[in-house]
Structures are given as C-alpha cells and as structure tokens.
Amino acid sequence: MRRLLFVMMSLGVVKLAAAQAYQPDFNPSLLKGPAAGGASDVMVLGSPHLSQLPKPFDATTLSLLNERLAGWRPQAISIEALSGMQCDFLRRYPARYADTVKSYCPDTAPARAATGLDVPAATARIDQLLAAWPAAPTAAQRRQLAATFLAGGEHGSAVVQWLRLPQAERKAGDGLDQVLVERLNALQARADESYQIAAQLAARLGLERLYTMDDHTADTVDDDQAAMGAAMMKAWDNPASRQRRRDSDELAKGLGTPSGMLAMYRAYNAPGQGKLVFDSDFGAALNEPSPQHYGRGYLGYWETRNLRMASNIRSAMGQLPGQRMLVVVGASHKGYLEAYLHQMHDVRVVDSAPLLR
C-alpha cells in the first residue's frame, strides 16, 4: 500500500511539473505583419493623474512634454475614460455599478436637454457627422459636433472641438446652450491628462476626436470592504512601494517647471518601471495570504480591466490600419497594455523613452 501511495504521489508531482512547464506553441507576437504596408504603431504614455498632483496645477508646465509628443505626430489619441456607450450600459445595472457611474460617468442630462439626444441617439449622430465631415468645417458645425459629443458622453472629444474653434466662436448656439458652454470651459481648464495632454494635442494636430478606452465592467460590490482594505494595505506595505513613494517625493520637487514635469514623465516611462509597479502592487496582491484571497480577487479585476482596455485600443486601431496612435493612461497600466498590445499581429509598440529624453 505504501509503495502504491508513493507511486501515485510521484505521478502527481510529475503531472504538476509538466503542467507548470507547458508553454503554448502559438505566440501571436512572433507572427507580425502585414507583408506589404506598414504596421500600426502605438505609443503608451504612462501618466500621473494630474488631479492628484500638488495644487495649484499649472498647465504650462506640460509645454515641453506636449512639444515632444506633438513631434511624434500621432494620427489618433486614446484616453483613460469610459465611453458614453459603456456608461449608458452601466447605468442599467445600478445594484452593481452605482458607485462606478458616480465616479467615472459624466452627467449627460444637460446635453440631452439642449440637443434632444440621449446617449444612443447621440452616438449614432456622431458617427453620421464624422462620416460626412468636411475638410474645412464651419464654426457652427464644430459647435454642433461638440454638443453631440457631450450628449453622447464623450467629453474629451467635445473639448477637442471646442479647442479647435477660434476664441470668438466659443459661444452658445448650434446645440450648445450656456450651461454646456460653461461645462466646456470648465473641462478645458481641468487638471486632467485627458484634457491638458490628449485634447490639447488632438486640437494642435488637427484631429477631430479622442478614443475612450477605459473599462469598468469588471467592477463589483465588495461584501466586506473594511477587511479587504486592511488586507490590501498590509500587502502594499513593502519595499517596492516605499521605493515608489521616495521616487515620487523626489520628482515632485521639480513639478513647478516644464523640465521638472518632463522629468516625471521620463521616470514614469523608464525601463524597469513596469516590474517596480508589479512588485509594489499587483505582485504583492498575488501573494496576499488572506483565506478569502482578497489579493487575487483584486488582481483578477486589474488584469480583466487591462485586457478590456487593450481590446478597446485594438478595436480603434483596427479602424485605422497603418496609423500612429498615442495612448495616454495612468502609469500603472502602461506595462500591462504594452504587453497585451504586443501580442497583436499588425501592432508595433513604440518605446516612449527616447521621445522623453
């Protein structure tokens, strides 16, 4: 009997080792193309959330960064924001997503009142307008498109249209009432990378819109938030987290100048940052020891969110084959998005580090 048990245990160990050693023989990242024509280039810019930087925020400190990014001449820009369509979906499930909607979905009611369009109707109208968009649109057409973007929950794209108008034409009319004008002026000045980097660049480069790519459909309502929070805070108390805080404190000393701001972006996008973020946050979650597996639940949410973000970026790039896309996203997402996008057959991930030197 003992011999039989030993043989069975040995076989189990062999099977486990074989399972751990298995590597799929199909690797999409090794099958790049197309054979004729250029690949689609994507550059992922890891960004701090500007709203969380020391106050007051001075948008002029982004001048050197925006100059470098404009020099790469992206033909499309994607941002970490929920699409109007996803927010419309989330609103249908308040038991699960009420907090998500409150945090991430702008109120479209004022734009609906001004335009008569709900989110689905506005989304369809946006597609129609852009499909027939003239080479030299009038100010009235830009105001109409801005109002329609607001009704569709695409606030970043609305700001692009607002910035493309001459200052004297940034006024009510053509679907924009005074409430919406005030909203656009407030968004234009908000300390947010979607507006101060992405929208500014899009307007400067003659682009008509931004591509929203964030995803929160993996959000859930936690049964015991206090216990989960305590477990995660313990996991995050580690040497890598302390290193990140020291680095952040040192970089913050120079944020009052364009060169200091550029230095922060250079550091956030430097080689090795992805592994440091993993060790500090997601790797710590992977090994969090609670019986409830709080860390692995958090990690599952994080990986799912990034996979869906990558798929949204890929979907947009599929409509723009051979073009250059800039992705402006929170720095913790950068390593995951680059790794996932690298798997795509006609996508070439471009290193942002040389641009930021």
Side-chain angles (χ1 to χ4, degrees):
M1 179 62 73
R2 289 181 181 176
R3 180 177 176 80
L4 178 60
L5 287 173
F6 175 77
V7 170
M8 292 176 67
M9 291 174 64
S10 298
L11 288 173
V13 170
V14 170
K15 289 181 179 179
L16 178 60
Q20 291 173 336
Y22 174 73
Q23 293 289 330
D25 66 357
F26 178 71
N27 185 345
S29 69
L30 300 179
L31 302 171
K32 292 289 190 177
S40 300
D41 286 342
V42 59
M43 179 183 290
V44 181
L45 180 76
S47 176
H49 291 308
L50 301 184
S51 62
Q52 297 173 7
L53 295 183
K55 306 293 190 295
F57 174 73
D58 181 0
T60 65
T61 59
L62 291 166
S63 59
L64 275 177
L65 172 69
N66 283 345
E67 192 72 30
R68 301 287 180 88
L69 295 173
W72 190 60
R73 301 201 64 81
Q75 296 156 292
I77 302 174
S78 187
I79 59 173
E80 185 183 343
L82 295 186
S83 69
M85 288 192 294
Q86 182 166 125
C87 283
D88 188 62
F89 166 81
L90 298 179
R91 286 188 172 99
R92 297 174 183 271
Y93 299 90
R96 178 168 176 173
Y97 295 122
D99 288 344
T100 302
V101 169
K102 183 178 179 180
S103 298
Y104 298 104
C105 293
D107 183 11
T108 56
R112 180 174 183 175
T115 64
L117 300 171
D118 63 7
V119 171
T123 302
R125 183 63 178 147
I126 289 166
D127 291 342
Q128 293 169 354
L129 290 171
L130 290 176
W133 199 243
T138 65
Q141 287 174 307
R142 290 204 182 279
R143 285 190 292 268
Q144 180 191 24
L145 183 54
T148 310
F149 273 131
L150 289 174
E154 299 289 338
H155 282 43
S157 294
V159 171
V160 173
Q161 289 301 315
W162 194 240
L163 292 173
R164 295 206 62 186
L165 284 165
Q167 188 65 49
E169 296 290 352
R170 297 177 193 174
K171 59 186 181 181
D174 308 294
L176 291 175
D177 60 14
Q178 194 57 37
V179 171
L180 297 185
V181 167
E182 291 174 5
R183 172 169 287 192
L184 286 167
N185 285 331
L187 291 172
Q188 176 188 340
R190 180 178 292 181
D192 187 308
E193 56 274 19
S194 292
Y195 303 116
Q196 299 305 327
I197 298 175
Q200 292 284 342
L201 279 171
R204 176 177 180 171
L205 296 170
L207 308 180
E208 304 294 356
R209 66 169 305 164
L210 301 174
Y211 292 87
T212 48
M213 58 80 181
D214 199 2
D215 189 287
H216 276 271
T217 53
D219 289 8
T220 57
V221 178
D222 298 318
D223 294 331
D224 194 340
Q225 295 186 22
M228 179 179 180
M232 294 309 303
M233 291 302 294
K234 186 176 180 180
W236 290 329
D237 183 10
N238 59 60
S241 292
R242 290 188 281 276
Q243 181 63 54
R244 291 178 72 192
R245 284 194 292 271
R246 288 193 296 270
D247 293 345
S248 179
D249 290 344
E250 187 63 29
L251 290 166
K253 297 175 182 178
L255 292 184
T257 66
S259 59
M261 183 65 78
L262 181 62
M264 172 171 276
Y265 276 87
R266 186 183 302 120
Y268 278 24
N269 290 272
Q273 275 296 300
K275 182 58 164 55
L276 180 63
V277 169
F278 173 81
D279 291 341
S280 164
D281 195 337
F282 313 109
L286 175 63
N287 295 300
E288 188 277 313
S290 67
Q292 298 87 351
H293 302 297
Y294 289 127
R296 290 179 68 178
Y298 164 75
L299 179 62
Y301 149 78
W302 178 255
E303 290 187 318
T304 301
R305 182 180 172 196
N306 282 280
L307 283 164
R308 291 174 179 168
M309 292 168 80
S311 71
N312 290 334
I313 296 167
R314 182 66 183 97
S315 177
M317 294 183 75
Q319 303 170 42
L320 307 164
Q323 296 192 29
R324 294 183 300 278
M325 173 174 279
L326 173 68
V327 176
V328 182
V329 70
S332 293
H333 295 279
K334 176 184 170 77
Y336 286 86
L337 293 183
E338 287 189 338
Y340 296 154
L341 291 168
H342 179 59
Q343 299 297 308
M344 306 297 111
H345 295 298
D346 73 338
V347 171
R348 180 170 53 198
V349 178
V350 177
D351 183 8
S352 60
L355 195 71
L356 302 174
R357 287 175 186 153

